[in-house]
Amino acid sequence: MAKKINLEMSAVENREMRLGTIIGWDGPASTLVKESNYIERSQRFEGIKTSDCAGGCGSKKTCKLCELNSPLNQQTMCANAIVECQIGNITDCILIQHAPIGCSGDNPWFNLAFNMGLSRRNKPPQALKIYSTNLLESDMVFGASDKLRRTCRTVFEREHPKAIFISMACATAIIGEDIDSIADEMENELGIPVVPLHCEGFRSKHWSTGFDVSQHGVVRQIVNKNPVKQNDLINIVALWGTDYFTPLLKPLGLRVNYMIDMASFDELRQASEAVATATFCNTLGSYMATALEQEYGVPQIDAPQPYGFKGTDEWLRAVAHVVGKDDIIEDYIKSEHERVLPKVKELREKFKGVKGFVMTGSAYAHGLITVLRELGIDVDGSIVFHHDPIYDGAGVHQNTLEELVNTYGDIKNYTVSKTEAYQLSNIFNRIEKPDFVIIRHQGLAPEAAKLGIPALAMGDEHIPVGYDGLIRTGEIILDIMARKKFNRVLSRHIELPYTDWWLSQSDPFLLSHDPKALDKVVPLENSVDYEDELDEAV
């Protein structure tokens, strides 16, 4: 069972410690399910024999899921950036990045995503609510506590926020800045919540820890500690997606309270007053759902994610049961099947023989593959950016990968890898080339396009949710596939920055299995002596 969430501490325990999360694995999805189930059992019970270790690592203790370690890393995110795009999106609060200005480099495109999200939720446009203390070299030597205090006061005078959040960065962690004490001091002085967030980039290998950090701070210091229940309010932990949950839940008479992106202070505060908490992705939402259930008795929905017919059916039944409306939900489910199924059958005819590939976060990928297979699209392979053997709630129906494999079949080539663009050609070498790729992180979409494969950058992550999500996703894929010629032409005019030897490989983790392969990635006779080059420059 996952460990109890400790809100007495200002810092979150990392995912790799709390959940056994990994970022490197390769094989059939069914094998990963088996190994993950072993890890879950080992956390529930003592005395597991070494010989039972799923990974065969020979550990004399109860071990974690074995992880492949690559000598190369093309990481594009960190926990600090996730906090930036979560807490910075609260409409009437301020995030202070106690960091060098370089840590704010993502702000322009985060601001774009923020305003697109506001538009989807019919909220007025506004700029991100983020300030930086702009640490300089002298601050790294002499400390920057006074600079942080001045920034808190300036922000309060200029913006009159309902709360201030302070995020740690690698630089401030290295010099040991005490943001907890300063937050307490400023909270007493300003009379509003001032929340420390320990999200320095090197704290965790998994950027998803940033979601946990953001939600920890909100539940710990923003959520109403003396709630009065609102029996028609349901929390949905989400990102910037369109509000497709309101029509999905309308027959149950529920109002949706979205968290954290685009939420206001008051919307976050009322999270403890809701009748339940659900999410479009267990990776993103299980920490907050578990914390609200643990501290305030707000039940989290223990059901498959709301994708495809089966998942949406079970999800709606679980929500209806929590709110005491089991008597009406079956008629609603039946009517939705009758409404949507004819169009889905029409799409299935068009997708006969089509192959797809999914490259997103883990639980979200499982939902997307569910939708593709419901549409009759074959999925032989997938990349997920990390894998959680368990989630914080450890609910009976929260194992999204097992649900996918048991219901829709195995995925022969299932790779856990953290946005490593150099592995894409290897992965596509071992499977029949897909007709399209769905990618959640937009920076990777051009990499697939260079290989001649149409790519859908799923910016609105709610597109595949619910019954209508099947139709929305299918119609978008048809539109993407209609432009295949562009990608074929593009691939003929693109030279990838990898050796021919590497491009011919089919093992994405070859460098993990055979470190000597690095000699072939950069041939020794063509390697650069950077020390000599520097001497010449000087």
Side-chain angles (χ1 to χ4, degrees):
M1 180 70 71
K3 296 178 180 177
K4 180 181 179 182
I5 290 173
N6 185 0
L7 294 178
E8 297 298 320
M9 300 290 291
S10 62
V12 174
E13 187 177 17
N14 293 349
R15 284 199 169 208
E16 52 262 57
M17 300 299 294
R18 194 176 79 249
L19 304 177
T21 303
I22 61 168
I23 57 172
W25 194 91
D26 194 46
S30 57
T31 302
L32 186 56
V33 169
K34 180 180 177 181
E35 295 185 8
S36 299
N37 286 343
Y38 172 87
I39 300 302
E40 182 179 4
R41 292 198 307 274
S42 72
Q43 293 197 21
R44 291 177 185 270
F45 305 107
E46 297 295 332
I48 302 293
K49 296 179 180 179
T50 303
S51 59
D52 290 336
C53 172
C57 66
S59 171
K60 293 182 180 179
K61 298 180 180 179
T62 300
C63 66
K64 293 184 178 179
L65 189 60
C66 291
E67 183 173 17
L68 292 168
N69 294 304
S70 175
L72 295 180
N73 187 358
Q74 293 178 311
Q75 164 73 321
T76 60
M77 278 278 197
C78 68
N80 182 279
I82 293 297
V83 166
E84 185 180 354
C85 75
Q86 289 281 285
I87 300 300
N89 287 356
I90 302 173
T91 58
D92 51 5
C93 298
I94 295 292
L95 171 63
I96 296 176
Q97 292 184 290
H98 193 32
I101 197 63
C103 289
S104 301
D106 284 328
N107 281 358
W109 84 267
F110 282 155
N111 189 60
L112 175 62
F114 178 43
N115 275 277
M116 289 175 66
L118 290 169
S119 175
R120 292 175 186 139
R121 304 274 177 83
N122 297 314
K123 291 189 174 185
Q126 66 176 73
L128 280 178
K129 298 288 188 176
I130 300 178
Y131 280 67
S132 173
T133 53
N134 187 21
L135 265 63
L136 305 175
E137 290 88 341
S138 58
D139 299 315
M140 293 295 291
V141 176
F142 299 108
S145 296
D146 286 340
K147 200 171 191 178
L148 178 56
R149 292 185 182 94
R150 290 197 303 272
T151 305
C152 287
R153 295 183 183 111
T154 299
V155 163
F156 184 75
E157 292 170 2
R158 287 184 184 179
E159 304 283 353
H160 307 291
K162 293 189 175 181
I164 293 173
F165 294 81
I166 301 170
S167 66
M168 185 76 91
C170 294
T172 38
I174 289 170
I175 63 176
E177 287 286 283
D178 185 3
I179 64 171
D180 285 14
S181 296
I182 297 172
D184 289 341
E185 177 186 335
M186 289 293 99
E187 185 169 297
N188 291 330
E189 178 181 325
L190 302 177
I192 61 172
V194 180
V195 186
L197 302 171
H198 294 270
C199 56
E200 55 271 26
F202 57 70
R203 169 175 286 271
S204 172
K205 293 185 294 183
H206 314 290
W207 72 57
S208 293
T209 295
F211 293 120
D212 305 338
V213 172
S214 302
Q215 294 166 16
H216 185 85
V218 168
V219 177
R220 186 169 177 263
Q221 290 185 245
I222 304 300
V223 166
N224 184 4
K225 292 179 172 55
N226 299 294
V228 177
K229 291 296 178 181
Q230 302 183 47
N231 292 327
D232 64 341
L233 187 72
I234 183 171
N235 298 320
I236 300 291
V237 186
L239 293 173
W240 307 283
T242 299
D243 180 20
Y244 294 127
F245 280 91
T246 291
L248 183 63
L249 292 166
K250 185 176 180 181
L252 295 175
L254 293 173
R255 293 180 295 120
V256 173
N257 187 42
Y258 282 110
M259 302 181 293
I260 292 178
D261 294 283
M262 286 83 69
S264 67
F265 177 88
D266 290 336
E267 287 169 334
L268 295 175
R269 184 171 171 76
Q270 69 180 355
S272 58
E273 302 172 7
V275 68
T277 303
T279 179
F280 81 101
C281 170
N282 286 347
T283 298
L284 176 79
S286 67
Y287 188 91
M288 191 162 205
T290 302
L292 289 169
E293 184 173 48
Q294 174 185 295
E295 297 297 317
Y296 302 104
V298 179
Q300 58 181 308
I301 299 304
D302 183 14
Q305 295 178 147
Y307 298 96
F309 285 109
K310 181 178 183 294
T312 305
D313 290 351
E314 295 303 314
W315 189 84
L316 283 169
R317 288 182 180 119
V319 174
H321 183 71
V322 168
V323 299
K325 294 187 177 181
D326 303 79
D327 56 327
I328 68 170
I329 198 61
E330 293 305 326
D331 288 341
Y332 174 55
I333 290 173
K334 181 181 177 182
S335 66
E336 286 295 276
H337 279 231
E338 292 172 351
R339 179 180 66 85
V340 172
L341 192 55
K343 181 62 177 178
V344 172
K345 287 181 177 179
E346 180 183 325
L347 288 168
R348 286 172 181 166
E349 287 296 315
K350 295 179 180 179
F351 287 129
K352 282 184 176 179
V354 171
K355 289 186 175 291
F357 191 93
V358 173
M359 188 173 179
T360 75
S362 57
Y364 187 58
H366 308 155
L368 278 169
I369 295 170
T370 292
V371 170
L372 296 186
R373 287 188 165 172
E374 288 263 19
L375 291 170
I377 297 171
D378 192 12
V379 181
D380 291 336
S382 177
I383 300 175
V384 298
F385 301 141
H386 78 278
H387 173 72
D388 301 308
I390 59 172
Y391 294 110
D392 285 291
V396 175
H397 301 289
Q398 288 182 329
N399 189 334
T400 56
L401 183 59
E402 183 174 43
E403 177 73 20
L404 171 64
V405 170
N406 290 346
T407 306
Y408 298 95
D410 203 359
I411 303 167
K412 183 179 178 181
N413 299 284
Y414 188 83
T415 303
V416 180
S417 186
K418 188 175 61 174
T419 61
E420 309 287 13
Y422 72 92
Q423 293 179 329
L424 284 183
S425 60
N426 313 84
I427 290 170
F428 291 141
N429 281 343
R430 68 185 184 187
I431 63 175
E432 185 177 338
K433 193 172 183 179
D435 295 287
F436 66 90
V437 178
I438 297 180
I439 296 178
R440 179 73 186 92
H441 288 249
Q442 292 88 336
L444 287 169
E447 301 304 318
K450 292 174 187 176
L451 295 169
I453 305 172
L456 165 59
M458 190 72 84
D460 185 341
E461 65 281 348
H462 287 178
I463 285 172
V465 167
Y467 302 113
D468 284 310
L470 289 160
I471 298 173
R472 287 190 295 263
T473 304
E475 290 178 342
I476 291 173
I477 292 172
L478 288 175
D479 189 50
I480 294 295
M481 290 176 58
R483 290 158 176 78
K484 292 173 68 173
K485 183 178 179 180
F486 168 80
N487 294 93
R488 290 196 299 268
V489 173
L490 179 66
S491 67
R492 294 200 296 267
H493 296 275
I494 292 291
E495 184 176 351
L496 297 174
Y498 309 113
T499 64
D500 291 339
W501 173 84
W502 179 256
L503 293 174
S504 69
Q505 302 303 310
S506 61
D507 181 0
F509 285 99
L510 180 62
L511 301 183
S512 301
H513 300 143
D514 181 13
K516 292 183 180 179
L518 276 171
D519 296 342
K520 296 181 180 179
V521 174
V522 181
L524 294 178
E525 63 272 15
N526 297 329
S527 63
V528 178
D529 189 330
Y530 291 102
E531 290 186 2
D532 289 347
E533 191 179 64
L534 181 60
D535 289 340
E536 291 177 8
V538 173

